[in-house]
Amino acid sequence: MLERSTIQLLRFHFSFFLLPVYLFALSQVLYVHPGKALLIFFILHVLVYPASNGFNSYMDRDSGPIGGVRAPLTPGRQLLYASVVMDLVAVLLGLLVSIWFSMALLVYILASRAYSDRRVRLKKYPWLSYGVVALCQGALVFWMTYHGSHMKQPFNVPLTGMLASSLLIAGSYPLTQVYQHEADQADGVRTISMVMGHKGTFRLSAIMFNLAFIVLGLHFGLQLELERFFWLLLIELPVLAYFLYWARLVWKDKAAADFDHAMRMNLIAAICTNAGFLMILIWKYLD
């Protein structure tokens, strides 16, 4: 029987915030294998992402708000066991997709463990951890999804799609740290948001988001699908509006860089970006 703290700290609902890269990659696959596409969704969003959340919570033992949870419970040993079992199941199921998918998945899991594990603790190194997160949650997940869900399982995956995915993560990730400066400092962690400061975090995110959409424009332009890109931009307008609103509040008072605003930003961004890529996915099948 799973303990209440285990269920809470696996944070299954947080997988919704990481769904855009999967939907983006799937929308770019010309010949989709439906069964493997669904299996990849299950592996990433039901097993791997929650397991990473759980392992991170077990190592950090947060007492203050964390992504998606305002008041985290104290993690028990069961959380560690659950995260390990879920990762093992994910790697084994990944073999049903392809051996290369499973190997890439193992790289993701090891990077995630190195990020949180007290013996390695990549999160102590702000630029290195920032790059690892952007690369793994962005480009690597795009590659795994595209390769694994394609009927022919190619190794040749669109580089512009991989780059855009990493830039989207690079834009959103610092905003998830902006309210945790004191807690991270107490834990001996120096995040990219701490390095940049509250205002600098917003500047960095703005630069990365702009670069992401420039690359997305190039990606869709090369495929003669600029109309889809413009619809994506339109759907993203609420994200831009809230980002500017929140940034204005923080410029007036740094206390506005808090958990509530961060989670609202994440939710709006996830809803809009998921909707945009889902629209492109549906559009492809309607064509």
Side-chain angles (χ1 to χ4, degrees):
M1 192 73 176
L2 289 178
E3 297 169 357
R4 182 165 167 255
S5 62
T6 298
I7 296 172
Q8 183 204 56
L9 296 174
L10 287 172
R11 288 182 280 161
F12 289 98
H13 62 285
F14 200 77
S15 294
F16 179 73
F17 300 125
L18 297 174
L19 183 57
V21 173
Y22 170 85
L23 291 176
F24 175 37
L26 193 62
S27 72
Q28 301 310 295
V29 177
L30 189 58
Y31 304 107
V32 174
H33 189 298
K36 290 188 176 181
L38 288 172
L39 181 58
I40 291 169
F41 172 84
F42 178 79
I43 289 171
L44 289 176
H45 294 85
V46 180
L47 295 176
V48 173
Y49 292 155
S52 293
N53 294 335
F55 187 83
N56 185 65
S57 290
Y58 181 80
M59 288 294 164
D60 287 358
R61 311 189 81 80
D62 297 288
S63 57
I66 54 176
V69 178
R70 183 183 298 277
L73 300 171
T74 302
R77 193 76 176 172
Q78 186 190 75
L79 180 62
L80 176 63
Y81 298 148
S83 66
V84 171
V85 169
M86 290 165 75
D87 280 337
L88 289 174
V89 172
V91 172
L92 291 174
L93 286 177
L95 293 172
L96 298 177
V97 178
S98 82
I99 188 170
W100 299 107
F101 175 89
S102 189
M103 290 174 64
L105 191 64
L106 184 59
V107 169
Y108 180 100
I109 291 168
L110 291 176
S112 175
R113 294 299 176 266
Y115 177 85
S116 302
D117 193 287
R118 291 282 173 181
R119 293 163 294 184
V120 183
R121 207 68 168 163
L122 289 184
K123 66 195 308 182
K124 292 191 300 185
Y125 311 102
W127 290 103
L128 177 59
S129 61
Y130 182 46
V132 168
V133 169
L135 183 64
C136 289
Q137 292 187 355
L140 184 57
V141 169
F142 185 96
W143 187 91
M144 287 192 291
T145 303
Y146 190 99
H147 162 80
S149 61
H150 199 295
M151 285 284 190
K152 298 181 179 179
Q153 296 193 326
F155 291 101
N156 185 22
V157 173
L159 291 177
T160 48
M162 293 173 64
L163 178 57
S165 297
S166 281
L167 287 169
L168 285 172
I169 297 296
S172 61
Y173 182 63
L175 295 175
T176 67
Q177 303 172 325
V178 74
Y179 64 91
Q180 292 182 307
H181 290 186
E182 291 183 5
D184 286 330
Q185 187 173 21
D187 192 33
V189 171
R190 188 164 172 79
T191 64
I192 192 66
S193 181
M194 291 172 67
V195 171
M196 302 302 296
H198 289 97
K199 292 181 180 180
T201 296
F202 283 85
R203 293 190 184 103
L204 176 62
S205 290
I207 291 170
M208 292 301 165
F209 280 134
N210 276 301
L211 288 174
F213 280 93
I214 289 171
V215 176
L216 281 169
L218 175 63
H219 176 83
F220 286 104
L222 290 172
Q223 300 182 70
L224 304 179
E225 295 177 344
L226 277 177
E227 183 181 0
R228 301 183 184 190
F229 173 65
F230 291 135
W231 276 105
L232 181 62
L233 286 179
L234 184 63
I235 291 173
E236 292 290 332
L237 284 178
V239 183
L240 175 61
Y242 191 81
F243 179 87
L244 294 174
Y245 164 75
W246 186 21
R248 184 168 175 269
L249 293 180
V250 173
W251 250 250
K252 290 181 177 180
D253 184 1
K254 291 180 181 179
D258 58 17
F259 174 79
D260 289 330
H261 285 96
M263 290 304 100
R264 205 169 294 131
M265 179 79 241
N266 275 357
L267 184 60
I268 293 171
I271 290 173
C272 292
T273 311
N274 282 329
F277 288 133
L278 183 60
M279 177 199 70
I280 292 171
L281 178 60
I282 294 172
W283 201 334
K284 182 185 73 172
Y285 285 102
L286 289 178
D287 287 347

